[in-house]
């Protein structure tokens, strides 16, 4: 009926009756209905959907009384509007379908199954659906409003940004932080898809337009309209391909809607999105749909690094494995793709490996089987001629195999043999067991029994050693003997896994990441009562100070949670707010026990007037042991944070020492005694404080130490200032710097205390020595401890030192004229104290 009416409307009025009579044939009822519709609607207006803007301007459509429509957000197959939900006073994204004569029941069912599918999922990276409804001809559902744009728009802005276009949300494509941001976003999207897959939902339309990016660069997966679910099935017809053309998996392109794809099609599509983000080009293009589909099925995408040399090889491998043509070569789950991306972000070895040459040839032959079949027919004739000689060759091969097994059995002890020698013996045994004429021979039976005995011995002894190493009975956490036992156990289990790769018992017995550190977390209040809450962790990149993805540790208390060795920010989500403790986790200690004590000295949710909020941005960090200049250093993305306006004073630190009864060094005791006699000294910056003392004070205040990147960003700003304040015309250096050189480092502690008191400046003095944001004394007065680990250059590479930290800023005894980029050095963290080294505290703006 819809097609007849549509064609009739295209004809002059006087010709419509004849056309309808001919089209309906003998069906009088259909002819009468068609003529009635044409008479009631002489134009084609009734086929057009209602203009929601015009309807909203006149009167609210039925069923939308709870929503105030503000503007259109986008228009794909259906319009999506920004609206305010009156009943809950919140912004929502409202998707609307208005029925017309062209609307089928199947379209309506597909519209409503999107919110039903999404409502089954609860994940921070999946767009949340709030409500679904319809009234009369209006169908709608309200979902979470993501303030940003989709990834397709982000790619367009990165590729070719016009003068009036908004700035991209991600770092610039040429920026080194771009690749890290892309990997993090795709890891979050993979985690969201894994959540859907575990709920029995296959998205089937993963593409940049369905990945929404908010202003904080958090990704949200949207549009489950064509998802296939275990509960609701699918609504695609035979021959109707689900998904968007360029992002279809080979099986989608091949089956064309026969609905035999599984969750691995989403893995492929997300791999294509990753490819496009890394190169700003699609892997397959064409002038026609048929050409694109043919390339998806037959062609291999150009390597990522061929189009973007800045992409690391590990990330290129992850992308190629996700986009493998054969589902067997692809990541088996979205979780596996997510885990490899997180390993890449954490600088760990990824599990994926490039597809071997033989496998690529095998896949190529499957795709080109027709010409290969013709070539095979030609070879059959040639093969027949050599068949007579092959029997002689096989007999000779049997004799050589038996002889090799007998030589191996003559060796009494196999332990000293190399893995290569044992693998050669296993290959001979497998070859003999495939030959029916050798199955019953004595050497084959004896070799099989001996290899099985070796397998059981490696497995049992390795597990026994692992059990004794991971369940220490003594209190010594870093016992070298226990560590050696752990190493020996993993060596034996690893050898068994290498020699017997197809044995399920061996493969499942090998521990996952046996050298990970373990961490146990608790939180206690001022009355020493245990506090409820949850814990998360984020790994800190030692070279850029950027935070890795959030790792959920669960509800407090946390017992022996495995984390890769490295520098971690442990986050305690408590009723009073967020507390952060930074710890170096290493495998030398089996269990790191970390306790968060809430002393009640400050509210974690209220920074106060003595802290300044520093807006985030991209910082060009100077490399250690290298002069500053164009191109030197690394770009680090610094998130917004809060920083103390002033350095911690002697009076503030003295309160901490008195309340916590913290033992201090002799130099501090001399300074404390001097401050007791002269109250004005309490306003000077706290010195003779080790890095561990500074960290303990910051955590007692509900804060933390700033990272090196945060400190430099606060001092230099987005202008990359040479000095922390706007310089005068003659580049005047202001503040307690370059005053008098007392050579205090060569004096004893009493003389150092005397020089410090005479030449240092109160923390709240010299307002002209402040940054434009209002942070005082970032170049002068005292150097300041920061959170970051020490980094040094070794040849052409950088390495970090777990027991060293950075110190930033000039001092009151400094006589060298220098700017901020030069003020970088490292030193020990345990007992290093100086009369010119203090600190200030920081706090994250968001977890």
């Amino acid at each position: 009926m819809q097609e007849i009416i549509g064609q009739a409307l295209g004809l002059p009025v006087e010709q419509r009756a004849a056309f309808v009579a001919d089209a309906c044939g003998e069906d009088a009822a259909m002819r009468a209905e068609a003529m009635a519709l044409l008479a009631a609607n002489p134009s084609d207006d009734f086929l057009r959907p209602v203009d929601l803007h015009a309807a909203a301007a006149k009167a609210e459509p039925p069923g939308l009384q709870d929503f105030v429509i503000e503007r259109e957000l986008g228009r794909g197959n259906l319009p999506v509007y920004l609206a305010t939900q009156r009943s809950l006073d919140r912004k929502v994204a409202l998707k609307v379908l208005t029925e017309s004569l062209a609307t089928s029941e199947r379209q309506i069912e597909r519209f409503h199954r999107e919110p039903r599918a999404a409502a089954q999922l609860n994940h921070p990276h999946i767009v949340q659906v709030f409500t679904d409804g319809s009234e009369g001809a209006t169908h709608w559902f309200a979902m979470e409003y993501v303030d940003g744009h989709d990834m397709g728009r982000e790619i367009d802005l990165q590729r070719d940004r016009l003068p009036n276009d908004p700035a991209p949300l991600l770092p610039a494509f040429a920026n080194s932080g771009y690749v890290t941001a892309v990997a993090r976003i795709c890891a979050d999207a993979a985690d969201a898809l894994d959540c859907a897959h575990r709920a029995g939902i296959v998205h089937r339309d993963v593409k940049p337009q369905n990945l929404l990016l908010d202003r904080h660069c958090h990704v949200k997966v949207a549009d489950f309209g064509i998802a296939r679910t275990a509960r609701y099935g699918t609504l695609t017809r035979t021959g109707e391909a689900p998904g968007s053309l360029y992002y279809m998996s080979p099986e989608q392109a091949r089956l064309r809607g026969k609905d035999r794809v599984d969750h691995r099609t989403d893995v492929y599509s997300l791999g294509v999105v990753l490819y496009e983000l890394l190169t700003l080009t699609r892997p397959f293009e064409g002038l026609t749909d048929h050409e694109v589909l043919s390339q998806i099925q037959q062609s291999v995408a150009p390597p990522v690094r061929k189009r973007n040399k800045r992409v690391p090889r590990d990330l290129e491998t992850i992308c190629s494995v996700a986009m493998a043509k054969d589902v067997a070569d692809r990541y088996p789950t979205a979780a596996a793709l997510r885990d490899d991306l997180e390993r890449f972000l954490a600088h760990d070895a990824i599990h994926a490996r490039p597809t071997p040459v033989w496998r690529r040839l095998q896949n190529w032959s499957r795709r080109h089987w027709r010409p290969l079949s013709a070539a095979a027919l030609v070879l059959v004739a040639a093969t027949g001629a050599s068949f007579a000689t092959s029997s002689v060759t096989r007999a000779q091969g049997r004799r050589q195999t038996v002889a090799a097994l007998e030589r191996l059995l003559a060796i009494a002890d196999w332990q000293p043999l190399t893995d290569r020698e044992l693998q050669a013996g296993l290959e001979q045994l497998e070859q003999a067991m495939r030959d029916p004429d050798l199955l019953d021979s004595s050497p084959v039976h004896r070799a099989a029994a001996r290899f099985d005995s070796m397998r059981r011995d490696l497995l049992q002894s390795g597990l026994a050693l692992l059990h004794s190493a991971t369940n220490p009975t003594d209190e010594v956490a870093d016992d070298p003997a226990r560590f050696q036992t752990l190493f020996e156990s993993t060596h034996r289990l690893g050898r068994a896994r290498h020699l017997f790769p197809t044995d399920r018992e061996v493969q499942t017995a090998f521990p996952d990441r046996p050298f990970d550190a373990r961490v146990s977390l608790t939180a206690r209040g001022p009355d020493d009562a245990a506090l409820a809450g949850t814990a998360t962790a984020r790994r800190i990149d030692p070279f850029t100070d950027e935070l890795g993805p959030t790792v959920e540790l669960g509800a407090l208390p946390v017992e022996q949670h495995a984390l890769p060795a490295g520098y971690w920010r442990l986050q305690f989500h408590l009723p009073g707010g967020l507390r952060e403790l930074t710890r170096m986790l290493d495998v030398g200690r089996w269990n790191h026990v970390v306790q968060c004590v809430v002393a009640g000295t400050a509210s974690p949710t209220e920074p106060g007037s003595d802290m300044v909020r520093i807006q985030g941005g991209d910082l060009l960090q100077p490399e250690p042991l290298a002069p500053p200049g164009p191109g030197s250093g690394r770009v680090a993305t610094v998130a917004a944070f809060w920083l103390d306006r002033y350095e911690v004073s002697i009076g503030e630190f003295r309160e901490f020492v008195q309340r916590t009864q913290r033992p201090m060094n002799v130099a501090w005791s001399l300074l404390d005694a001097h401050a007791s006699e002269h109250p004005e000294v309490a306003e000077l910056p706290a010195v003779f404080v080790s890095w561990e003392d500074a960290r303990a004070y910051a955590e007692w205040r509900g804060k933390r130490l700033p990272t090196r990147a945060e400190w430099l960003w606060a001092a230099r700003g987005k202008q990359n200032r040479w000095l922390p304040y706007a310089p005068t015309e003659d580049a005047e250096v202001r503040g307690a710097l370059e005053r008098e050189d007392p050579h205090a480092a060569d004096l004893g502690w009493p003389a150092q205390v005397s020089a410090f008191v005479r030449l240092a400046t109160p923390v709240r003095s010299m307002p002209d020595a402040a940054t434009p944001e209002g942070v005082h004394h970032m170049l002068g007065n005292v150097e300041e401890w920061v959170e970051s680990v020490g980094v040094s250059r070794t040849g052409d590479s950088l390495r970090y030192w777990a027991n060293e930290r950075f110190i930033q800023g000039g001092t009151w005894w400094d006589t060298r004229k220098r700017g901020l980029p030069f003020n970088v050095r490292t030193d020990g963290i345990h007992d290093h104290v100086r009369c010119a080294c203090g600190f200030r505290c920081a706090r994250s703006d968001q977890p």
Side-chain angles (χ1 to χ4, degrees):
M1 177 64 74
Q2 175 184 339
E3 183 178 355
I4 293 173
I5 295 297
Q7 294 182 26
L9 288 172
L11 298 174
V13 176
E14 62 273 10
Q15 298 179 16
R16 292 178 181 177
F19 172 79
V20 170
D22 182 61
C24 296
E26 299 179 357
D27 193 334
M30 180 184 294
R31 185 168 60 252
E33 181 182 358
M35 291 304 297
L37 287 171
L38 289 171
N41 300 275
S43 69
D44 62 350
D45 290 342
F46 72 106
L47 290 175
R48 299 174 184 167
V50 176
D51 185 340
L52 196 57
H53 283 303
K58 297 177 183 178
E60 295 174 353
L64 295 179
Q65 291 87 350
D66 193 29
F67 300 96
V68 177
I69 297 171
E70 299 182 9
R71 60 183 173 88
E72 183 176 300
L73 292 174
R75 182 178 291 269
N77 293 329
L78 292 171
V80 179
Y81 300 92
L82 174 63
T84 299
Q85 188 175 7
R86 288 193 179 98
S87 58
L88 297 177
D89 191 24
R90 63 180 174 186
K91 300 289 186 183
V92 297
L94 191 68
K95 194 169 187 177
V96 178
L97 169 66
T98 304
E99 287 187 50
S100 67
L101 185 63
T103 306
S104 66
E105 290 295 329
R106 184 168 150 276
Q107 288 173 312
I108 296 173
E109 175 62 21
R110 174 183 286 182
F111 178 84
H112 285 291
R113 75 192 306 271
E114 177 179 350
R116 290 202 301 268
Q120 301 177 52
L121 306 175
N122 182 15
H123 193 277
H125 296 292
I126 294 178
V127 171
Q128 183 181 0
V129 173
F130 297 137
T131 183
D132 174 34
S134 65
E135 184 172 329
T138 305
H139 302 262
W140 50 267
F141 63 86
M143 53 191 164
E144 175 185 1
Y145 168 56
V146 179
D147 184 15
H149 53 238
D150 62 58
M151 200 65 73
R153 176 62 170 157
E154 180 68 21
I155 292 172
D156 291 340
L157 292 174
Q158 294 283 353
R159 184 190 296 120
D160 187 17
R161 182 186 173 199
L162 298 177
N164 295 328
D165 286 341
L169 297 176
L170 296 177
F173 181 72
N175 192 320
S176 62
Y178 176 81
V179 170
T180 301
V182 165
R184 183 178 294 115
I185 284 171
C186 288
D188 292 339
D191 192 51
L193 291 173
D194 177 62
C195 173
H197 297 164
R198 286 187 280 108
I201 298 175
V202 181
H203 192 287
R204 301 199 302 170
D205 195 19
V206 176
K207 58 183 178 181
Q209 289 73 19
N210 288 338
L211 300 178
L212 307 184
L213 200 63
D214 67 15
R215 297 295 175 183
H216 302 288
C217 291
H218 297 153
V219 69
K220 298 273 187 178
V221 179
D223 199 348
F224 284 80
I226 65 169
R228 189 193 67 192
T229 72
R231 182 176 180 182
Y232 300 114
T234 181
L235 281 177
T236 51
R237 295 172 176 166
T238 301
E240 179 185 10
S244 299
L245 185 67
Y246 295 104
Y247 306 93
M248 280 186 181
S249 63
E251 57 269 26
Q252 278 180 299
R254 183 170 56 253
L255 297 174
R256 296 293 288 164
K258 295 181 181 177
D259 199 35
R260 287 161 49 194
V261 300
D262 60 14
H263 61 277
R264 289 171 291 186
T265 195
D266 288 347
V267 173
Y268 178 91
S269 299
L270 185 57
V272 177
V273 173
L274 175 59
Y275 185 102
E276 187 173 1
L277 284 168
L278 293 175
T279 64
L280 299 185
T281 60
R282 298 190 188 103
F284 303 112
E285 299 279 4
L287 298 177
T288 64
D289 290 358
H290 177 76
E291 186 177 345
V292 175
L293 292 173
S294 177
Q295 288 192 45
I296 290 174
Q297 296 177 71
Q298 305 293 338
S299 303
V300 177
V304 169
R305 284 174 52 81
K306 186 175 181 180
R307 294 184 172 182
N308 185 0
K309 293 289 187 183
R310 294 189 300 274
V311 176
R313 292 192 182 277
D314 278 356
L315 194 54
E316 179 188 55
T317 299
I318 291 172
C319 188
S320 66
V321 173
M323 290 177 56
K325 299 286 186 188
D326 194 327
V327 293
D329 296 335
R330 211 174 293 162
Y331 283 105
T333 62
L337 171 57
R338 173 204 64 204
D339 292 344
D340 249 5
L341 286 169
E342 289 182 350
R343 292 185 190 97
F344 167 78
L345 290 168
H347 305 289
D348 288 340
I350 64 172
H351 286 181
R353 293 293 178 267
T355 306
V357 175
W358 66 268
R359 183 65 173 171
R360 293 201 296 269
L361 290 173
Q362 183 183 57
N363 294 339
W364 180 87
S365 64
R366 287 177 181 173
R367 296 194 298 271
H368 301 83
W369 63 273
R370 286 188 176 89
L372 289 176
S373 298
L377 292 175
V378 177
L379 290 175
V380 167
T383 304
S386 61
F387 180 75
T389 59
S390 64
S391 58
V392 177
T393 304
R394 285 197 299 271
Q396 182 179 1
R398 292 192 191 101
R399 291 192 295 270
Q400 293 175 349
T401 298
V402 171
L405 290 176
E406 288 178 338
R407 287 194 298 271
L408 186 63
L409 290 168
I411 302 174
D413 184 10
W414 282 4
Q415 291 299 327
L417 295 179
T418 65
D419 285 357
R420 179 177 295 181
E421 292 171 323
L422 290 171
Q423 280 183 319
L426 282 167
E427 291 173 0
Q428 296 285 352
L429 178 61
E430 291 174 1
Q431 182 178 346
M433 295 182 72
R434 288 194 298 266
D435 192 334
D437 295 335
L438 292 179
L439 277 177
D440 295 331
S441 64
S442 175
V444 173
H445 281 285
R446 288 188 290 119
R450 191 158 175 187
F451 271 113
D452 185 62
S453 175
M454 182 181 190
R455 179 192 66 82
R456 284 186 284 105
D457 178 66
L458 288 172
L459 182 62
Q460 293 172 2
S461 61
L463 288 175
L465 289 170
L466 180 64
H467 179 76
S468 64
T470 56
N471 292 275
T473 57
D474 53 45
E475 297 297 325
V476 181
D478 56 353
D479 181 9
R482 185 195 63 77
F483 185 82
Q484 181 61 33
T485 302
L486 180 65
F487 179 82
E488 180 62 27
S489 70
T490 54
H491 170 71
R492 295 191 185 190
L493 292 173
R495 191 179 197 193
R497 191 174 190 176
H498 182 65
L499 292 174
F500 306 99
T502 61
D503 188 280
R504 180 174 293 275
E505 184 181 12
V506 169
Q507 298 303 310
T508 57
F510 191 83
D512 185 22
R513 302 192 305 189
F515 288 99
D516 278 1
R518 301 299 193 273
V519 61
S520 296
L521 307 179
T522 58
R524 297 192 175 277
D527 56 355
D528 203 37
L531 297 178
T534 60
T536 57
R538 300 186 70 179
R539 196 173 188 180
I540 303 174
D541 187 312
F543 302 114
T544 65
D545 291 329
E546 292 181 349
L547 295 179
T550 300
V551 178
E552 300 289 341
L553 303 183
L556 294 170
V558 175
E559 296 292 338
Q560 295 195 9
H561 193 289
L563 289 173
Y567 205 30
W568 287 85
R569 184 167 294 167
L570 307 174
Q571 300 170 322
F572 295 76
H573 303 270
L574 304 174
L578 175 71
R579 295 273 178 153
E580 296 178 297
L581 280 64
T582 305
R583 296 292 184 270
M584 179 67 72
L585 304 182
D586 59 270
V587 75
R589 294 181 57 191
W590 176 251
N591 186 27
H592 297 259
V593 178
V594 181
Q595 186 176 84
C596 176
V597 178
V598 179
T601 58
S603 170
T605 58
E606 299 177 1
S609 61
D610 282 349
M611 296 195 82
V612 178
R613 186 180 186 275
I614 307 296
Q615 185 66 37
D618 289 338
L619 167 72
L620 178 63
Q621 292 183 320
E623 284 195 7
L625 308 183
S632 70
R634 298 165 178 259
V635 174
T637 300
V638 181
F641 66 101
W642 292 82
L643 186 66
D644 280 354
R645 191 179 299 273
Y646 311 105
E647 298 152 329
V648 175
S649 69
I650 293 174
E652 291 169 326
F653 193 79
R654 178 201 287 171
E655 179 190 4
F656 159 70
V657 173
Q658 292 174 348
R659 290 199 183 187
T660 62
Q661 298 298 308
R662 183 176 182 85
M664 293 296 294
N665 55 75
V666 175
W668 166 262
S669 300
L670 292 173
L671 182 62
D672 186 32
H674 195 83
S676 299
E677 297 176 4
H678 306 279
E680 67 277 6
V681 174
E683 297 302 318
L684 297 178
V687 294
F688 297 117
V689 175
S690 71
W691 181 86
E692 289 182 332
D693 294 333
R695 184 184 69 176
Y697 172 87
E699 293 175 356
W700 180 72
R701 287 289 187 189
K703 306 178 185 180
R704 59 173 174 81
L705 295 179
T707 66
R708 174 173 176 255
E710 288 173 336
W711 196 99
L712 284 171
W713 179 252
R716 297 169 63 178
K718 62 182 180 181
Q719 301 87 4
N720 200 27
R721 297 183 293 258
W722 183 253
L723 300 173
Y725 30 74
T728 57
E729 294 182 359
D730 57 350
E732 176 191 358
V733 178
R734 299 191 294 275
L737 182 72
E738 304 187 36
R739 307 182 75 185
E740 176 183 343
D741 184 5
H743 301 288
D746 301 327
L747 305 176
W749 278 344
Q752 290 186 32
V753 169
S754 176
F756 166 74
V757 170
R758 181 166 51 89
L759 296 176
T761 301
V763 297
R764 296 173 184 268
S765 64
M766 296 188 176
D768 61 337
T771 68
E773 295 78 15
V775 183
H776 288 238
H777 291 301
M778 300 204 77
L779 182 63
N781 221 19
V782 291
E783 295 173 324
E784 298 179 16
W785 286 113
V786 294
E787 181 182 70
S788 306
V789 294
V791 181
S792 64
R793 175 174 292 281
T794 303
D796 293 331
S797 63
L798 297 174
R799 64 169 298 178
Y800 74 92
W801 304 89
N803 65 336
E804 293 185 351
R805 296 296 183 274
F806 274 110
I807 300 174
Q808 299 291 152
T811 76
W812 49 269
W813 72 14
D814 212 329
T815 59
R816 291 167 290 175
K817 277 198 171 184
R818 59 186 187 178
L820 288 166
F822 286 103
N823 293 324
V824 177
R825 57 164 298 177
T826 63
D827 224 314
I829 66 173
H830 300 293
D831 53 6
H832 174 82
V833 295
R834 297 202 307 166
C835 60
C837 185
F839 68 101
R840 72 180 75 224
C841 302
R843 177 176 293 159
S844 297
D845 187 49
Q846 293 183 355

